[in-house]
Amino acid sequence: MASPHRRYTTLILDLGDVLFSWSSKTNTPIPPRQLKEILSSVTWFEYERGRISQAECYERVSAEFNLDATTIAEAFQQARESLRPNEEFLGLIRELRQQCHGQLTVLALSNISLPDYEYIMSLDSDWTSVFDRVFPSAVLGERKPHLGAYRRVISEANIDPYTTVFVDDKLDNVVSARSLGMHGVVFDSQENVFRALRNIFGDPVQRGRDYLRRHAGRLETSTDAGVVFEENFTQLIIYELTNDKSLITTSNCPRTWNFFRGKPLFSASFPDDVDTTSVALTVLRPDRALVNSILDEMLQYVDADGIMQTYFDHTRPRMDPFVCVNVLSLFYEYGRGNDLPKTLDWVYEVLLHRAYIGGSRYYMSADCFLFFMSRLVQRITDQAVLNRFRPLFIERMQERVGAAGDSMDLAFRILAGSTVGVQCPRDLEKLLSAQCEDGGWDLCWFYQYGSTGVKAGNRGLTTALAVKAIESAIARPPSPALSAASSSKLEVPKPIQRPLSPRRLGDFLMPWRRAARDGVAAS
């Protein structure tokens, strides 16, 4: 995965099986499997290096594989004629160039013979227009995965491998590129590579915001059964993360808040709850007198142990530590944290003994609990309470760095850590690489219904969390740390010439062609 602290400025692409497709099926006796075996032979490698002519290559292959040379020539002629440029990939490269505002250098490095290279150059396509330079192995005199091929490109194109992305369908070739400091991408599928390149070269924050704006007012929640429904809680969290009311739709609740905005799931009616109410009052900040009267009402729903219950309904006694954290955030926001000492003590015990691992009745993620805790810690003004909670919270955050999790978990973790200086670089890399092609992040399960176990999530929430997490970690990707020499090289890049036509390669003609030319001149 790409490092979030690099600013990638160069893209190197393979041609065959990446930018060009072709078929190994021919109308000859040579089956596709054997054709590919020939392509992996030492003789063919020499041919791709430009050290032997096409005729000599076919003669050697004929002897090595006990095949007729004419049949070999016909098979490879048909394979050559099947080469077709990948127009979708060409479109992506143009898109990336535009997004990078002319700051992206695009090169090709391909294991390809000179006759094949001449053929693709003659195709009725403008594929060369997306490249600043093309490096065929037959011209370089070396082929991938040998390091000399890469070093020649680095030297001649004057690029920094640390800010270079390399794409190839062969893992061996990608490993060599990585060994020189490049970020390697294996072309396993077009969908995966397109997503990877957009994530590497695009602005993840801007793409995420664009996704949210395109779906403004329609960022609804859905269950694991695919049922879409309207609710307030997630909308309020999205608003807190984005500070953009145009993105959300909420109920008009004059006092306490209900989780559902529309018709409740699983029942005809549903009581208001302290969780949604706490988040709403914390985020929307209505009249202080109104809030204090609601806090007084909430205190009527503390049980005999001093723990805040979840619903404004004495016939529905439920307790959840995640909910209690949000309630405490509200009370501390309005200077009344001391009203819930037993609830505060219980939350501390949950944090101390890691009781949040595995989730709760309503919430599924340990990282969600720590995110809620970070909201609370930021609102505690009592120094004694802060001294009690903050060191333990930091310790628990440090334990979570690098843990497994989906995009929502990673974003929760990064955001929570950022409030106390705990960095999560590997988690950030994973989050960046998980961005979808449409700019959003995948649907992840945020909570579950205690009575049924039905899970629910919201792509808008995952995306808002991811955007905020990335902003908190790297407001703007810095330039890579370089030596003075390499830094000056980046600041004043040398111009890169367009690929020479193979008909004008001059002294880059292969030895066998140059010898023929010189012989004609001598005669």
Side-chain angles (χ1 to χ4, degrees):
M1 64 192 68
S3 166
H5 300 292
R6 297 194 196 185
R7 182 174 60 87
Y8 293 97
T9 58
T10 304
L11 172 63
I12 301 179
L13 298 168
D14 184 25
L15 294 180
D17 290 319
V18 174
L19 200 67
F20 282 86
S21 62
W22 68 285
S23 175
S24 59
K25 293 181 179 180
T26 66
N27 296 321
T28 70
I30 302 177
R33 179 182 58 80
Q34 191 172 35
L35 200 71
K36 291 183 177 180
E37 287 177 358
I38 295 172
L39 292 173
S40 298
S41 67
V42 173
T43 296
W44 198 267
F45 290 171
E46 290 295 283
Y47 177 43
E48 287 182 333
R49 289 187 175 97
R51 296 176 182 174
I52 59 175
S53 67
Q54 178 176 278
E56 185 177 353
C57 173
Y58 290 171
E59 288 175 6
R60 290 188 187 181
V61 168
S62 173
E64 292 169 12
F65 289 85
N66 195 26
L67 295 169
D68 179 66
T70 304
T71 302
I72 294 169
E74 177 60 27
F76 279 103
Q77 180 62 30
Q78 291 182 25
R80 180 181 296 155
E81 291 174 353
S82 73
L83 283 162
R84 294 291 182 273
N86 185 333
E87 296 296 341
E88 287 185 58
F89 209 146
L90 292 172
L92 173 66
I93 298 170
R94 295 186 183 99
E95 173 192 321
L96 297 177
R97 277 189 172 279
Q98 184 176 12
Q99 289 179 359
C100 294
H101 308 291
Q103 300 302 307
L104 177 62
T105 296
V106 183
L107 309 173
L109 173 59
S110 180
N111 291 338
I112 186 170
S113 68
L114 196 61
D116 287 339
Y117 181 55
E118 289 176 337
Y119 178 80
I120 62 174
M121 287 290 289
S122 70
L123 291 174
D124 185 19
S125 169
D126 64 345
W127 68 269
T128 59
S129 66
V130 304
F131 289 100
D132 294 286
R133 191 166 176 182
V134 177
F135 292 89
S137 61
V139 174
L140 286 177
E142 190 51 271
R143 66 188 301 282
K144 302 170 293 184
H146 292 277
L147 300 179
Y150 303 83
R151 288 177 174 143
R152 281 282 302 278
V153 173
I154 291 168
S155 175
E156 292 191 20
N158 192 35
I159 61 172
D160 188 334
Y162 190 75
T163 60
T164 297
V165 176
F166 178 87
V167 181
D168 199 293
D169 64 305
K170 303 289 193 302
L171 178 59
D172 286 350
N173 299 341
V174 173
V175 170
S176 290
R178 289 171 178 167
S179 75
L180 293 173
M182 298 181 191
H183 174 69
V185 177
V186 177
F187 191 97
D188 51 1
S189 75
Q190 181 157 298
E191 179 183 359
N192 289 342
V193 173
F194 277 31
R195 176 171 175 168
L197 292 180
R198 286 194 172 105
N199 290 349
I200 291 168
F201 291 105
D203 181 340
V205 170
Q206 187 59 51
R207 291 175 62 214
R209 287 174 178 164
D210 288 345
Y211 173 87
L212 293 171
R213 292 190 189 104
R214 287 197 307 272
H215 297 83
R218 297 178 288 110
L219 298 169
E220 300 296 0
T221 299
S222 59
T223 70
D224 52 359
V227 177
V228 178
F229 64 99
E230 299 175 342
E231 49 104 326
N232 285 308
F233 188 83
T234 302
Q235 301 290 307
L236 292 164
I237 297 292
I238 291 174
Y239 174 55
E240 181 178 50
L241 293 164
T242 63
N243 197 33
D244 186 348
K245 280 190 177 179
S246 71
L247 299 177
I248 67 167
T249 305
T250 59
S251 302
N252 183 17
C253 299
R255 190 169 174 82
T256 59
W257 283 68
N258 197 283
F259 175 82
F260 292 103
R261 216 167 70 237
K263 183 179 181 300
L265 294 180
F266 315 122
S267 62
S269 62
F270 199 77
D272 291 356
D273 66 274
V274 300
D275 201 18
T276 309
T277 299
S278 294
V279 172
L281 299 182
T282 304
V283 173
L284 301 177
R285 299 189 62 81
D287 177 73
R288 193 174 189 88
L290 173 63
V291 174
N292 277 310
S293 70
I294 297 172
L295 297 184
D296 291 338
E297 181 179 350
M298 290 172 70
L299 291 173
Q300 299 174 24
Y301 294 90
V302 174
D303 70 5
D305 294 317
I307 309 300
M308 177 66 69
Q309 301 298 288
T310 300
Y311 297 102
F312 289 96
D313 184 347
H314 289 294
T315 68
R316 202 186 269 249
R318 307 282 190 276
M319 56 187 279
D320 187 300
F322 290 59
V323 173
C324 287
V325 173
N326 288 333
V327 171
L328 287 166
S329 291
L330 171 63
F331 273 74
Y332 272 99
E333 178 73 20
Y334 286 87
R336 295 183 56 176
N338 292 334
D339 289 357
L340 292 168
K342 298 297 183 181
T343 298
L344 184 68
D345 287 343
W346 186 51
V347 165
Y348 180 83
E349 294 297 319
V350 169
L351 185 65
L352 176 65
H353 298 295
R354 304 177 185 85
Y356 52 86
I357 299 294
S360 67
R361 178 181 178 88
Y362 299 111
Y363 292 96
M364 305 168 60
S365 164
D367 296 293
C368 176
F369 179 81
L370 293 173
F371 170 72
F372 287 163
M373 278 297 308
S374 72
R375 297 174 74 250
L376 171 59
V377 170
Q378 290 179 90
R379 289 173 168 83
I380 295 174
T381 55
D382 185 318
Q383 195 60 48
V385 176
L386 191 61
N387 290 343
R388 181 187 182 199
F389 271 82
R390 197 171 189 276
L392 179 59
F393 174 65
I394 292 174
E395 183 180 326
R396 294 293 175 263
M397 277 306 313
Q398 291 169 336
E399 294 171 354
R400 293 297 299 171
V401 174
D406 58 26
S407 295
M408 184 172 289
D409 293 327
L410 297 173
F412 277 141
R413 187 181 307 159
I414 294 165
L415 279 171
S418 70
T419 64
V420 289
V422 175
Q423 297 183 351
C424 310
R426 294 294 293 173
D427 298 315
L428 178 60
E429 289 184 15
K430 292 177 184 177
L431 182 63
L432 286 166
S433 66
Q435 190 169 20
C436 300
E437 281 203 62
D438 62 7
W441 272 262
D442 286 329
L443 177 67
C444 301
W445 306 128
F446 181 30
Y447 50 78
Q448 61 188 353
Y449 292 93
S451 58
T452 64
V454 170
K455 300 177 180 63
N458 186 309
R459 279 198 73 194
L461 175 61
T462 312
T463 302
L465 282 164
V467 168
K468 190 71 173 179
I470 294 166
E471 285 182 315
S472 73
I474 46 169
R476 191 178 295 245
S479 297
L482 302 171
S483 66
S486 58
S487 177
S488 62
K489 178 176 67 177
L490 283 179
E491 290 171 5
V492 189
K494 296 180 181 178
I496 296 176
Q497 301 300 318
R498 292 287 175 184
L500 293 169
S501 165
R503 296 174 180 81
R504 295 186 285 107
L505 287 175
D507 287 338
F508 283 101
L509 287 172
M510 297 303 99
W512 51 270
R513 286 202 166 188
R514 192 161 61 242
R517 179 198 64 186
D518 294 343
V520 171
S523 64

